[in-house]
Amino acid sequence: MRKNIVAGNWKMNFGLDETQDLISGLKKINKTSDAEVIIAPPFTNLFSAFESLKNTNIGLAAQNMHESDNGAFTGEISAEMLKSIGVNTVILGHSERRAIFGEDENLLTEKVNTALKHGMRIIYCFGEELKDRNYGEHQEVVGKQIANTLYHLDADAWKNIVLAYEPVWAIGTGETASPEQAQEMHAFIRKEVKHEYGEDVSESLSILYGGSVKPGNAEEIFSKKDVDGGLIGGASLKAEDFMAIVNAFKK
Ligand code: PEP
């Protein structure tokens, strides 16, 4: 069956010392759930995090990568660079990358293809804006976001795809989708993927929820049938909060 995953997106937070402090804090807290745990520190701290996480059950992800294999792209980081320091998972399509850095579906398709070509696993983020939900178009918007960037893949490629449904209106705002809203959307996504690829793919696909998940609301959200974990922003920056969210996962 599909994997439960809790991933922490640290965004542009923390230098080396704070990274090491947070990792030490995470290592001290007992993991009592069956969820896979992943943290995504900034690029500059990935290698030291990799060294510190050896022999632990905490994995690493990058927050982004460039779509090209190498070359004259000043300031960018490639899939092979990430793999060379032991990072095999990458977050793509985060709403901040889309909104602030203009990442559109063509670019994201290229990034997806490059990551998969290099054998990386992708945590693929998408989600509707508040206006889409107010117009009752949230499912249509989300359905297109997935179809336009992922449905060219063959079924086998989906072994390396984790989806993260993150309604834009709930990211970093303190607003959370209700557990029912999350379940409704996750069930819709699974149904769409089933329609396109069949039940083997849709039932093995982990679909994470992201958007103001906190220790106080994680258990209820994670208890929903089609919610297979969370992508956590703000609350992943405190070891106790993040591990409380990991351990809220009871299935
Ligand atoms: C995120 O940025 O992916 C996120 C879910 O942030 P927050 O948990 O802070 O809403």
Side-chain angles (χ1 to χ4, degrees), residues 9 11 94-96 125 166 170-175 209-214 231-236:
N9 175 12
K11 309 193 186 188
H94 192 279
S95 65
E96 288 153 15
C125 308
E166 301 205 302
I171 297 181
T173 58
E175 282 281 327
Y209 169 78
S212 301
V213 178
K214 308 249 172 319
L231 181 55
I232 318 302
S236 70

Side-chain angles (χ1 to χ4, degrees), residues 151 188-199 202:
Y151 282 2
F188 166 76
I189 294 163
R190 205 177 300 286
K191 185 174 75 87
E192 293 286 292
V193 173
K194 180 178 169 188
H195 184 254
E196 195 64 25
Y197 288 98
E199 199 160 343
S202 69

Side-chain angles (χ1 to χ4, degrees), residues 3-243:
K3 209 181 255 180
N4 303 319
I5 300 170
V6 179
N9 175 12
W10 291 13
K11 309 193 186 188
M12 197 173 74
N13 289 296
F14 295 162
L16 197 54
D17 290 349
E18 293 154 304
T19 297
Q20 287 304 327
D21 287 349
L22 181 43
I23 288 176
S24 306
L26 294 173
K27 290 204 285 196
K28 281 189 197 126
I29 302 172
N30 217 11
K31 176 160 102 68
T32 56
S33 82
D34 67 350
E36 177 183 346
V37 182
I38 299 172
I39 57 169
F43 286 132
T44 47
N45 301 324
L46 278 172
F47 185 58
S48 80
F50 172 75
E51 295 278 306
S52 310
L53 292 172
K54 275 183 187 160
N55 305 318
T56 72
N57 49 19
I58 302 175
L60 274 177
Q63 297 175 20
N64 182 30
M65 52 158 257
H66 196 266
E67 64 277 14
S68 299
D69 288 343
N70 52 47
F73 299 102
T74 302
E76 292 295 327
I77 302 286
S78 73
E80 280 302 318
M81 290 174 188
L82 295 171
K83 288 186 66 182
S84 76
I85 57 161
V87 177
N88 299 311
T89 301
V90 61
I91 299 171
L92 293 178
H94 192 279
S95 65
E96 288 153 15
R97 302 283 332 160
R98 293 178 192 250
I100 305 170
F101 301 99
E103 296 199 1
D104 62 13
E105 289 179 344
N106 290 335
L107 179 66
L108 289 171
T109 305
E110 277 190 66
K111 290 193 177 198
V112 164
N113 291 342
T114 304
L116 293 175
K117 183 176 85 181
H118 290 278
M120 295 193 78
R121 177 170 60 160
I122 298 168
I123 300 177
Y124 189 72
C125 308
F126 53 86
E128 83 281 2
E129 293 181 27
L130 190 57
K131 67 172 168 37
D132 305 319
R133 187 163 277 273
N134 289 341
Y135 288 135
E137 291 172 354
H138 43 295
Q139 292 192 342
E140 195 187 324
V141 167
V142 162
K144 279 196 189 139
Q145 285 174 326
I146 299 170
N148 291 347
T149 47
L150 299 178
Y151 282 2
H152 65 287
L153 300 174
D154 60 27
D156 203 47
W158 281 76
K159 292 192 184 110
N160 281 323
I161 304 281
V162 172
L163 296 184
Y165 167 56
E166 301 205 302
V168 177
W169 48 272
I171 297 181
T173 58
E175 282 281 327
T176 319
S178 69
E180 292 70 30
Q181 285 172 321
Q183 167 57 26
E184 184 189 43
M185 183 61 91
H186 284 221
F188 166 76
I189 294 163
R190 205 177 300 286
K191 185 174 75 87
E192 293 286 292
V193 173
K194 180 178 169 188
H195 184 254
E196 195 64 25
Y197 288 98
E199 199 160 343
D200 281 358
V201 171
S202 69
E203 284 302 312
S204 345
L205 177 66
S206 297
I207 309 176
L208 317 185
Y209 169 78
S212 301
V213 178
K214 308 249 172 319
N217 60 20
E219 187 170 344
E220 209 188 340
I221 296 171
F222 293 169
S223 71
K224 295 295 177 191
K225 179 170 160 289
D226 287 291
V227 178
D228 308 307
L231 181 55
I232 318 302
S236 70
L237 300 176
K238 281 199 184 135
E240 298 74 25
D241 287 359
F242 186 60
M243 289 309 291

